[in-house]
Amino acid sequence: MHVQEWLETVPAVAVYALVGLVIGLESLGIPLPGEIILVSSALLASQHGHIDPVVLGASATAGAIIGDSIGYAIGRKGGRPLLAWLGKKFPKHFSEGHIATAERSFEKWGMWAVFFGRFVALLRIFAGPLAGVLRMPYWKFLIANVLGGIVWAGGTTAVIYYVGIVAESWLKRFSWLGLVAAVLIGLTSMLILKRRAKKAGQQLDVTEAQAS
């Protein structure tokens, strides 16, 4: 069933809880379609009055901030063995190349990597756990985490909601285009990150070969 059609069949409270939970788990480090669920819910809110966009945005923001914070705590306690374990469980998302790319981003940008990581599909999964593994001071992480969560989750909800209000009659007939756009954006960012991860992995292999 279409994601938005399915969301229409559940109570508003369940929608808020689902959005917060999925985004929280994604921010925690579990690969889930948080962005697609958020876009679908925001479109639903623009077309049906029983979904409050403010509560929806607050739920998404809370899920993002709490999930990232838990991910940070797990990463700080688990250290690099955690990354190795995640690499075995989710090789497509936590490969050595992906980790190397994310580490370079953190080394170069610091807090900004956590903030802007919200807007990149795969980096959104890495940000919390990797910040903990790399021992980023918690106060720096918290500031970037809170600001990133508000801008990404709250901003996405607001933009999609108001676009839906302005073009309500058009979106009622072609609402699936919003989901297609979200998927394309997510896939594009994923492909870019995968390309960078592959390059980083190749450089890592060359370095290891030279060292041996």
Side-chain angles (χ1 to χ4, degrees):
M1 185 182 292
H2 193 289
V3 175
Q4 191 171 344
E5 291 177 351
W6 180 80
L7 288 173
E8 290 177 1
T9 65
V10 300
V13 174
V15 174
Y16 305 143
L18 178 66
V19 168
L21 179 62
V22 171
I23 291 177
L25 290 175
E26 182 188 38
S27 301
L28 176 63
I30 300 175
L32 289 174
E35 195 166 40
I36 293 177
I37 293 294
L38 179 58
V39 169
S40 300
S41 301
L43 282 174
L44 183 63
S46 70
Q47 299 166 25
H48 300 275
H50 71 288
I51 303 292
D52 189 329
V54 176
V55 178
L56 179 65
S59 299
T61 301
I65 294 172
I66 294 172
D68 241 15
S69 296
I70 296 174
Y72 174 90
I74 293 175
R76 193 173 180 88
K77 184 176 181 180
R80 290 194 173 276
L82 173 65
L83 297 181
W85 180 82
L86 288 172
K88 294 179 180 179
K89 292 293 183 180
F90 306 103
K92 292 184 179 180
H93 298 87
F94 288 90
S95 67
E96 290 185 4
H98 287 150
I99 293 173
T101 299
E103 284 184 329
R104 284 206 304 274
S105 298
F106 271 74
E107 290 172 358
K108 184 176 181 179
W109 301 106
M111 292 172 60
W112 290 109
V114 177
F115 178 85
F116 287 113
R118 285 287 181 196
F119 302 89
V120 181
L122 287 178
L123 194 55
R124 189 159 56 243
I125 301 172
F126 276 107
L130 191 56
V133 170
L134 297 178
R135 301 282 175 171
M136 176 182 287
Y138 183 68
W139 68 269
K140 289 185 177 182
F141 170 80
L142 183 61
I143 292 173
N145 179 27
V146 171
L147 292 178
I150 292 173
V151 173
W152 175 73
T156 298
T157 301
V159 169
I160 298 300
Y161 175 78
Y162 284 112
V163 166
I165 291 295
V166 172
E168 182 178 0
S169 60
W170 184 81
L171 284 172
K172 279 183 177 179
R173 300 178 63 182
F174 302 103
S175 60
W176 54 271
L177 289 178
L179 289 177
V180 172
V183 170
L184 289 177
I185 292 172
L187 288 176
T188 300
S189 61
M190 185 180 299
L191 289 174
I192 292 173
L193 188 58
K194 281 186 175 181
R195 181 177 298 178
R196 293 180 178 177
K198 183 178 180 180
K199 184 177 179 181
Q202 292 173 345
Q203 293 175 349
L204 185 63
D205 291 339
V206 171
T207 302
E208 290 178 351
Q210 291 175 346
S212 59

